[in-house]
Amino acid sequence: MKDKLQEIKKEATKRLNEATVLNEIEKIRVNFLGKKGEVTAVLRNMGKLSKEERPIVGQLANKIRQEIEKSIKEKKAVLEKEIEKKKIQAEKIDVTLPGKKRGLGKVHPITKTLEDIEKVFLGMGYLIAEGPEVEYDEYNFEALNIPKDHPARDDQDTFYVNDNIVLRTHTSPVQIRVMKETKPPIKIICPGRVYRSDTVDATHSPIFHQVEGLVVDENVTMGDLIGTLKEFAKGVFGEDTKIRLRPHHFPFTEPSAEVDVSCWNCHGKGCRVCKNEGWVEILGAGMVHPKVLESAGIDSSKYSGFAFGLGVERITMGKYNIDDMRHLFENDIRFLKQF
Amino acid sequence: MKAPMKWLKDYVDIDVSAKEYADLMTLSGSKTEGVEKLYSEVKNVVTGKILKISNHPNADKLVVCKVDVGDEILQIVTGADNISEGDFVPVALAGASLPGGMKIKKGKLRGETSNGMLCSLGELGLTKYDYPHAIEDGIFILDKEYKLGVNILDALDLRDEVVEYEITSNRADCFSIRGLALESAVTLGKEYKDVQINVKEEANERTEKYIKVNVEEKELCPKYSARICKDIKIEPSPEWMRKRLKACGVRPINNIVDITNYVMLEFGQPMHAFDIEYIEGNCINVRLAEENDIFTTLDDEERKLNNNNLVIADEKKAIALAGVMGGANSEINNDTKMIVFESANFNASSVRKTAKQVGLRTESSSRFDKDLDVNYVIPALNRACQLVEELNAGTVLKGIVESEGKDEKRNIIEFNPKDINDFLGTDISKEFMEKTLTALKFEIRKDEVVVPTFRKDVVGFQDLAEEIARFYDYNNIEPTLLKGKETTVGRKNRKQEIRDIIRQVMTAEGFYESYTFSFGSPKIYEKLMIDKEDAVVIRNPLGEDYSIMRTTTYNEMLESLSVNYNRSIEEAMLFELSNVYKPIENSDLPKEIERLTIGGYGEIDFYSIKGAVTELFNSLGIINYDFDPIEEKGMHPGRTAKISINNEKVGVIGQIHPEVSENYEVKRETFVGYINIKSLVENAQLEPEYEILPKFPSVNRDIAVVIDKKILAKEIEKVIRNNAGQFLEKVELFDVYEGDQLDDDKKSIAYSLFFRAKDKTLNEEEINKDMDIIIDKLKKELGATLR
């Protein structure tokens, strides 16, 4: 019997070693350990043995049973692992195929520029003020020291609704409205849509967008204006951007300046963007004219202030090298996708 | 304003290159727009002398010349017939280039070698106005002997550089060479050498004998002055004067007219000369024109005047449109023997209005309309007479006839260097301030600055600060940041925050942001098939297509979609944040209503748009919204919904009526919609309300019913919700079916219902009870049958 058991074990081990699939293992288990299995049969025939032999064979049979069970378990684990491995291998995909996209849209490049500018000024403690586009002539011109006969009115080619109402030519009337309603300190930027009677072409549009800024407080200096514009230029055009001021004339500021930034494209070396100047003109600025303060009800002997204004389309076109202003209002998806 | 370097150098020693000079001037406040090198396109053209002219052997119309160009004798073939042996001519050598890009090469003309070209005026960029002795259709025969082989630009002294200035409206004084020269002198730290004016008045007669001046409109003409010159010999002005005029862009005409233009450019004071023979009654009246008077100006155009136009008139008729242009009836001509020079000051606004009304903007009117200094009048008049004497053009009569004008008042400003430094944020020395102001011809008196009359723009201490700062250089002012007593917090307001959320959601939903024009055509209502609305009308539009402020954003949205569709773009989904403008009664400004407009075509349907809007509401914390069927003009009658929040209409979405799509040439189903921003601002709940997560599981039951097609999903859901009892948490639609297995007027609709109690796990019976009621009500109220 002992021999028989040893043989059974040998046979079982052999078959286990040869097995390659899981149900074979199950067969082996049934063959050897099942109710009608060989080890079971041995145990069943134990009665035929002598009293002395019985415990020895019994022990051996149990031991062999356990050993076979263990081998089965191990083999099963090995096979399962292999199967899992094969399955994983079969799951291989081509990671270079394109990804599935939900398809995001994008904001318009004008919005992008506006957001860039707003971020800088929000960070410096400015509020964003808004006002009507169809505006009183008085707010658009007269309160800004541009009386009815002022030559500057010729430059601005204004759309009129009637003698007293215009499509605002700049967002300055918002400044007037805020000054009339708020006590200093005032720190605002005024983004918005403005209108000038220009025919549409590659560089002109009768409708465009501006951001103007206004600060009114005690002891505001021209140095403050320059410092502020410097921060603005760095924030919008990059840390190493420099600014240059050129004296100019605006009726609503005194002193007035046109402001250039060092070319973002060539960093001042000269290129197509800056027409080889190294500088690009981007805004007008100055100290708020005392008449403007007074017409908005602010005591110009106590308060001073600065203001600046810039064209959003121009900056957008410059920054991204957009060749034609008309693209900005055409809304071709292939254009909008790029920003 | 064009300023030739050579002319400026009469007044100030400019010792830097024209380019450097222009940059320095720009930084001190006289904006330059470029430097033009005169005749720079003329290269390798030299003086030559024609030694011999012989016939061309093969061509009747050509001749063969031997031309001495200094170091060699060239054979040149030409077709011109105005040349003679011994003539001095400009010769373009082989390798020369001429204006317009013409290049000269050696070659053969009908078999004869030609080693260059004899040039005409035009080929050198000249006209007969520059060289009146020469003809335009022939070779330019030089007027005297020149050294041979010398570059023509040197021989004729044509080289110069012209700086182009942009003159701002406050600086009438810089609309002149003298004014710019003064700015140049202060910029460069050089001395300003003014012209010395001296009139000999060699005639024995006095001006008063021939003319008297009567100014009726003293407000419109603060000053009028006249002088007379006799024995006038009309001829071309000298070459130096012609060159300067041309460099400034003024065409030389004859000595007298040229003198008036020269003085205008030099002093900024426009002048005029009349032939006295045509002035009737020995008098000059400055008066308003007769209504509807027809007046022919110097350019031979008839101008219809009105009684606001100021004219210069004799006893009977207008002879000049004051400050704008002279009349053809008293024009200087070749037989003119005696002239009246006018130098006057006219009201800026009056000149601007007249110029605009008659549509004639001249060098004169564009100076007067900047408000000139009255004190220019007499010096300019004398300067013109001085030039008449210097040019030997005639003799000047004694004395000036002038109106009693008021003198310009000089502005006086308190001079306080500390205020100026505090304002600029600088520490500029008093000496620098005084030096700068003095150089600019301001007078410093102790604590006051007296401003010269030609600087009427300087009225307050801020103006003085600017004068000082621009020569100190703005860029030397130390940048500082505000040091106010109160801090300010930068943040967006609620509306601005909501706009940001709208942009985030709409782009996340796949829409691209568009920007369109906010004015349009009144014809769009027809195109959109909607009722015409009252709109804000622009009085002076760019054309009918841009003449009204829009009352709907659909037109521009559809235009944008059409652009994409017609460029074969498969799909376009756009959104825009912009205004419509509605006139309101009894209010002068219209109401500007901001809207979110959405639109699209492509792989989308009504539900894509609705889904996006729903996501937007979710993101804004808006719960109480509804979509209900609505019929709107221009929209598809069965595919349009009204959007409401808290039962108030806030917008519409739907499919554009196919006929309207057709009008915009979009041949696909096109969807649009709008929502008023104001209602979003009012209803948004931006602070989320947290609800404790459920502790007990939910139970899910599905239900599918067959129901009349016409019954809206919304009505079915309403019945479910109203009858579900307290535990219904959520109703989710998961299937809608219409088709073969159902009657034509039926649809099958299936929902998942989720039940949950806060405090326990629900048991089957509780839910079965609720479900039974729901099914029962669906049957009774909507005629539904279980599927």
Side-chain angles (χ1 to χ4, degrees):
Chain A
M1 283 268 228
K2 279 184 200 167
D3 293 347
K4 173 88 179 169
L5 279 170
Q6 290 300 346
E7 233 168 78
I8 289 172
K9 189 194 164 191
K10 220 170 152 191
E11 176 65 16
T13 312
K14 185 175 164 246
R15 282 186 57 189
L16 274 175
N17 282 340
E18 285 165 0
T20 53
V21 290
L22 276 179
N23 53 7
E24 234 171 284
I25 308 273
E26 181 57 18
K27 259 186 215 160
I28 294 168
R29 193 190 65 78
V30 173
N31 273 352
F32 292 91
L33 307 177
K35 280 181 186 163
K36 290 172 186 168
E38 292 185 38
V39 177
T40 322
V42 172
L43 286 171
R44 222 171 255 160
N45 290 331
M46 288 263 286
K48 293 172 187 166
L49 295 173
S50 64
K51 232 178 180 178
E52 294 76 27
E53 268 183 316
R54 232 183 273 162
I56 299 164
V57 173
Q59 230 171 26
L60 183 67
N62 272 329
K63 189 178 158 229
I64 282 179
R65 185 192 175 94
Q66 279 165 12
E67 279 173 2
I68 292 173
E69 268 175 356
K70 195 179 163 220
S71 299
I72 286 175
K73 211 175 159 192
E74 281 169 2
K75 181 69 185 186
K76 212 173 161 186
V78 168
L79 279 183
E80 274 172 350
K81 215 169 179 183
E82 264 172 32
I83 288 165
E84 181 70 16
K85 201 172 153 194
K86 269 185 201 153
K87 193 181 156 215
I88 289 171
Q89 272 170 351
E91 283 170 354
K92 187 175 174 183
I93 56 162
D94 181 353
V95 297
T96 66
L97 288 174
K100 287 180 193 161
K101 277 174 272 188
R102 174 130 182 257
L104 291 179
K106 287 190 169 168
V107 296
H108 195 279
I110 292 176
T111 300
K112 249 174 110 71
T113 306
L114 276 168
E115 283 173 352
D116 284 350
I117 297 167
E118 286 172 2
K119 243 180 256 169
V120 175
F121 287 103
L122 287 169
M124 291 197 279
Y126 286 63
L127 295 175
I128 302 171
E130 297 169 275
E133 294 166 26
V134 184
E135 185 53 283
Y136 294 111
D137 178 279
E138 190 196 330
Y139 286 3
N140 192 73
F141 290 122
E142 266 152 84
L144 290 155
N145 195 25
I146 314 174
K148 282 248 190 292
D149 273 334
H150 197 281
R153 290 211 179 187
D154 291 347
D155 305 335
Q156 293 207 332
D157 292 352
T158 312
F159 289 117
Y160 283 89
V161 173
N162 58 43
D163 283 348
N164 302 317
I165 295 176
V166 300
L167 304 190
R168 66 177 179 194
T169 59
H170 41 206
T171 57
S172 314
V174 182
Q175 301 184 16
I176 300 296
R177 285 171 177 270
V178 171
M179 282 192 278
K180 278 178 182 279
E181 285 157 17
T182 328
K183 280 208 171 82
I186 294 169
K187 276 169 85 176
I188 51 163
I189 54 168
C190 316
R193 179 171 279 228
V194 300
Y195 301 80
R196 289 192 199 171
S197 180
D198 279 323
T199 346
V200 181
D201 65 23
T203 52
H204 293 89
S205 169
I207 295 180
F208 58 100
H209 296 78
Q210 268 197 335
V211 177
E212 293 192 2
L214 171 74
V215 170
V216 180
D217 200 354
E218 289 175 44
N219 305 316
V220 175
T221 70
M222 187 148 169
D224 295 336
L225 166 64
I226 298 172
T228 303
L229 295 178
K230 232 175 164 165
E231 288 305 311
F232 154 76
K234 285 199 281 186
V236 173
F237 298 100
E239 266 306 306
D240 54 351
T241 307
K242 294 184 190 64
I243 61 166
R244 180 179 79 171
L245 282 83
R246 288 175 283 103
H248 197 67
H249 169 70
F250 304 114
F252 29 81
T253 48
E254 186 75 31
S256 306
E258 284 185 329
V259 185
D260 304 330
V261 297
S262 53
C263 180
W264 49 82
N265 191 45
C266 64
H267 303 283
K269 284 186 214 91
C271 69
R272 202 167 53 86
V273 173
C274 59
K275 297 187 188 87
N276 278 320
E277 293 286 330
W279 297 95
V280 185
E281 183 192 326
I282 55 148
L283 49 80
M287 301 301 290
V288 182
H289 198 289
K291 279 190 189 165
V292 174
L293 291 175
E294 294 293 340
S295 72
I298 290 177
D299 180 356
S300 68
S301 63
K302 187 174 176 199
Y303 295 104
S304 56
F306 63 73
F308 53 86
L310 54 88
V312 181
E313 278 78 358
R314 253 180 91 183
I315 292 187
T316 309
M317 290 176 72
K319 241 184 127 169
Y320 301 113
N321 241 324
I322 297 170
D323 53 320
D324 192 323
M325 199 155 176
R326 285 168 287 208
H327 291 323
L328 292 171
F329 295 98
E330 238 173 30
N331 306 308
D332 186 320
I333 295 281
R334 296 166 303 175
F335 174 81
L336 298 174
K337 257 186 186 157
Q338 297 180 42
F339 300 94
Chain B
M1 168 85 196
K2 291 178 167 184
M5 290 296 281
K6 280 183 180 166
W7 198 351
L8 287 167
K9 283 176 182 175
D10 279 1
Y11 293 88
V12 55
D13 172 24
I14 301 171
D15 55 1
V16 293
S17 76
K19 173 85 179 68
E20 281 173 80
Y21 162 76
D23 288 346
L24 288 168
M25 289 297 281
T26 295
L27 284 178
S28 72
S30 304
K31 188 177 186 183
T32 58
E33 295 188 313
V35 178
E36 186 199 355
K37 251 191 161 133
L38 296 183
Y39 306 102
S40 60
E41 288 179 306
V42 177
K43 289 194 183 110
N44 223 7
V45 178
V46 301
T47 50
K49 185 179 180 183
I50 301 172
L51 300 178
K52 189 165 181 295
I53 303 173
S54 36
N55 290 334
H56 192 291
N58 308 319
D60 291 346
K61 294 202 168 148
L62 297 176
V63 291
V64 181
C65 308
K66 297 285 183 204
V67 184
D68 186 351
V69 291
D71 47 5
E72 60 181 324
I73 291 167
L74 300 176
Q75 171 166 311
I76 294 173
V77 178
T78 178
D81 56 8
N82 69 323
I83 48 171
S84 325
E85 290 174 2
D87 280 350
F88 283 76
V89 289
V91 183
L93 303 175
S97 52
L98 297 173
M102 194 205 274
K103 298 254 188 280
I104 306 303
K105 279 181 271 185
K106 283 186 186 182
K108 282 187 174 176
L109 276 174
R110 294 287 199 95
E112 286 297 304
T113 308
S114 186
N115 291 325
M117 185 178 89
L118 307 184
C119 302
S120 69
L121 280 171
E123 280 156 348
L124 295 173
L126 297 165
T127 66
K128 68 171 185 211
Y129 298 107
D130 301 311
Y131 289 93
H133 75 273
I135 57 165
E136 282 192 334
D137 48 353
I139 303 301
F140 175 24
I141 312 294
L142 302 180
D143 57 344
K144 56 180 198 232
E145 298 194 358
Y146 287 89
K147 196 168 169 246
L148 297 177
V150 176
N151 189 308
I152 192 75
L153 300 182
D154 296 318
L156 299 179
D157 193 23
L158 288 171
R159 291 187 202 273
D160 200 352
E161 284 165 298
V162 179
V163 181
E164 173 91 45
Y165 282 96
E166 180 197 319
I167 309 296
T168 51
S169 58
N170 61 327
R171 292 303 300 271
D173 61 307
C174 284
F175 226 134
S176 68
I177 299 294
R178 277 173 82 240
L180 288 170
L182 178 60
E183 285 286 321
S184 307
V186 185
T187 301
L188 300 171
K190 302 273 184 181
E191 189 200 343
Y192 169 71
K193 296 168 281 186
D194 206 353
V195 63
Q196 296 304 311
I197 302 172
N198 173 23
V199 191
K200 293 188 197 127
E201 301 185 331
E202 282 169 331
N204 289 323
E205 296 157 300
R206 294 196 63 83
T207 314
E208 297 89 333
K209 181 178 165 195
Y210 292 95
I211 208 102
K212 58 178 189 299
V213 166
N214 171 34
V215 177
E216 287 178 21
E217 302 294 331
K218 291 201 163 51
E219 281 298 312
L220 303 184
C221 176
K223 182 95 183 165
Y224 194 97
S225 73
R227 269 185 179 274
I228 292 176
C229 304
K230 62 175 194 176
D231 306 328
I232 295 293
K233 296 185 294 281
I234 298 291
E235 58 184 9
S237 59
E239 197 175 333
W240 63 266
M241 185 178 274
R242 296 198 306 264
K243 278 181 189 157
R244 287 185 172 183
L245 292 178
K246 186 179 189 200
C248 291
V250 175
R251 201 176 77 185
I253 296 184
N254 60 47
N255 49 359
I256 298 302
V257 175
D258 289 359
I259 283 171
T260 60
N261 284 328
Y262 189 87
V263 173
M264 173 185 72
L265 293 168
E266 190 175 43
F267 279 70
Q269 168 68 46
M271 305 236 351
H272 188 62
F274 301 98
D275 185 332
I276 203 165
E277 197 178 321
Y278 304 103
I279 299 182
E280 295 173 83
N282 286 344
C283 74
I284 286 179
N285 288 318
V286 184
R287 59 163 171 85
L288 292 172
E290 314 272 340
E291 186 76 27
N292 296 327
D293 197 3
I294 302 289
F295 179 69
T296 307
T297 41
L298 277 176
D299 54 4
D300 287 329
E301 293 284 332
E302 288 192 347
R303 316 272 172 185
K304 190 174 175 184
L305 306 183
N306 68 30
N307 58 13
N308 290 317
N309 302 138
L310 190 70
V311 293
I312 313 302
D314 60 16
E315 198 178 56
K316 293 181 175 154
K317 62 185 185 294
I319 52 174
L321 198 50
V324 181
M325 197 181 258
N329 56 14
S330 52
E331 190 181 357
I332 304 298
N333 59 62
N334 287 336
D335 302 322
T336 296
K337 290 286 174 285
M338 197 164 172
I339 59 162
V340 180
F341 273 131
E342 162 196 294
S343 181
N345 186 276
F346 301 113
N347 175 280
S349 155
S350 156
V351 171
R352 183 172 331 110
K353 279 182 196 148
T354 298
K356 205 171 171 184
Q357 180 222 317
V358 300
L360 188 60
R361 193 174 155 87
T362 59
E363 289 272 350
S364 168
S365 74
S366 62
R367 284 180 171 77
F368 279 121
D369 73 15
K370 290 187 173 58
D371 194 7
L372 293 177
D373 179 6
V374 169
N375 291 339
Y376 284 160
V377 168
I378 299 297
L381 182 67
N382 288 336
R383 174 67 172 152
C385 292
Q386 176 186 19
L387 286 168
V388 167
E389 291 173 346
E390 282 178 11
L391 266 48
N392 277 323
T395 346
V396 181
L397 269 60
K398 289 192 180 1
I400 297 173
V401 172
E402 59 184 303
S403 68
E404 279 184 26
K406 50 172 191 218
D407 274 345
E408 289 278 1
K409 244 180 50 206
R410 299 210 283 172
N411 293 331
I412 296 176
I413 304 168
E414 196 186 326
F415 180 47
N416 185 340
K418 185 179 175 296
D419 280 358
I420 290 173
N421 274 323
D422 285 351
F423 180 62
L424 294 174
T426 49
D427 191 16
I428 300 171
S429 72
K430 191 180 178 204
E431 289 66 42
F432 180 87
M433 294 186 187
E434 287 181 349
K435 196 186 88 190
T436 305
L437 293 173
T438 309
L440 288 168
K441 309 284 179 200
F442 289 62
E443 188 189 326
I444 314 272
R445 288 183 195 155
K446 268 186 143 182
D447 301 334
E448 284 176 352
V449 175
V450 184
V451 181
T453 52
F454 60 84
R455 289 302 307 278
K456 281 186 262 191
D457 59 307
V458 177
V459 293
F461 96 93
Q462 291 86 350
D463 301 302
L464 283 186
E466 180 178 63
E467 292 307 301
I468 291 156
R470 64 194 180 94
F471 292 103
Y472 178 75
D473 190 343
Y474 284 4
N475 300 293
N476 285 334
I477 298 174
E478 199 193 331
T480 48
L481 284 176
L482 295 162
K483 36 202 171 290
K485 284 182 234 158
E486 288 175 54
T487 54
T488 52
V489 178
R491 61 165 164 258
K492 293 193 174 181
N493 64 24
R494 183 174 164 88
K495 192 200 247 178
Q496 291 155 358
E497 262 181 55
I498 284 172
R499 275 194 210 117
D500 283 353
I501 296 171
I502 294 172
R503 289 197 170 99
Q504 281 160 16
V505 174
M506 294 313 291
T507 53
E509 289 294 316
F511 290 81
Y512 286 87
E513 189 183 15
S514 60
Y515 273 66
T516 57
F517 279 8
S518 35
F519 46 51
S521 161
K523 288 183 182 145
I524 60 129
Y525 299 104
E526 217 173 297
K527 204 172 170 189
L528 288 167
M529 292 172 38
I530 57 176
D531 293 336
K532 204 173 163 99
E533 287 184 83
D534 273 345
V536 176
V537 180
I538 300 165
R539 192 171 69 185
N540 56 335
L542 286 177
E544 201 203 3
D545 284 352
Y546 298 122
S547 63
I548 61 164
M549 296 306 285
R550 64 181 173 190
T551 57
T552 166
T553 47
Y554 283 178
N555 175 57
E556 289 74 23
M557 175 56 76
L558 290 168
E559 296 277 6
S560 295
L561 293 175
S562 175
V563 162
N564 282 286
Y565 182 82
N566 287 299
R567 291 176 184 176
S568 306
I569 292 159
E570 290 285 306
E571 179 173 279
M573 289 158 73
L574 297 171
F575 76 98
E576 176 170 344
L577 286 167
S578 57
N579 291 345
V580 293
Y581 309 79
K582 309 245 176 176
I584 23 179
E585 234 174 293
N586 303 324
S587 165
D588 35 12
L589 294 186
K591 200 167 176 187
E592 298 186 14
I593 304 166
E594 190 177 359
R595 281 181 173 177
L596 163 65
T597 308
I598 44 190
Y601 69 80
E603 290 304 308
I604 57 166
D605 57 18
F606 173 86
Y607 300 105
S608 325
I609 307 278
K610 180 175 173 181
V613 172
T614 312
E615 287 292 8
L616 177 62
F617 289 158
N618 291 342
S619 298
L620 292 171
I622 294 172
I623 310 159
N624 247 338
Y625 58 83
D626 284 294
F627 293 85
D628 295 294
I630 187 178
E631 290 202 14
E632 287 239 317
K633 287 195 174 160
M635 301 295 288
H636 191 298
R639 294 185 172 181
T640 302
K642 170 180 89 171
I643 309 170
S644 29
I645 301 175
N646 292 329
N647 296 320
E648 199 180 308
K649 182 180 174 188
V650 300
V652 170
I653 52 167
Q655 186 183 330
I656 273 287
H657 197 290
E659 275 182 53
V660 177
S661 298
E662 193 73 25
N663 289 345
Y664 286 89
E665 291 167 40
V666 183
K667 294 180 181 65
R668 291 192 68 164
E669 293 184 353
T670 311
F671 298 90
V672 295
Y674 75 86
I675 303 173
N676 287 331
I677 301 297
K678 191 170 164 242
S679 46
L680 297 181
V681 174
E682 281 165 1
N683 291 294
Q685 175 64 48
L686 295 182
E687 285 302 317
E689 274 174 28
Y690 170 67
E691 219 174 273
I692 291 170
L693 294 182
K695 293 193 176 69
F696 296 91
S698 73
V699 179
N700 160 232
R701 288 293 169 87
D702 289 350
I703 177 176
V705 292
V706 174
I707 201 162
D708 195 312
K709 252 186 196 175
K710 277 184 253 158
I711 295 174
L712 301 175
K714 189 181 163 182
E715 297 172 55
I716 300 169
E717 281 165 38
K718 199 171 158 195
V719 170
I720 295 173
R721 282 183 201 283
N722 287 350
N723 296 290
Q726 55 171 322
F727 301 125
L728 182 70
E729 187 182 55
K730 197 164 64 171
V731 180
E732 264 177 18
L733 178 122
F734 70 87
D735 186 45
V736 180
Y737 173 79
E738 294 173 6
D740 291 349
Q741 294 164 32
L742 297 172
D743 292 344
D744 279 353
D745 58 347
K746 299 282 185 200
K747 66 181 167 189
S748 155
I749 191 157
Y751 289 94
S752 275
L753 276 53
F754 296 85
F755 296 89
R756 196 198 301 271
K758 275 184 186 157
D759 50 356
K760 60 177 180 182
T761 303
L762 291 170
N763 62 41
E764 289 288 311
E765 282 144 48
E766 285 170 305
I767 293 162
N768 287 345
K769 212 177 79 197
D770 285 349
M771 284 303 289
D772 288 345
I773 297 171
I774 291 170
I775 291 161
D776 186 50
K777 290 287 182 186
L778 284 173
K779 274 183 192 159
K780 282 188 182 143
E781 292 184 16
L782 302 175
T785 51
L786 270 188
R787 207 181 170 209

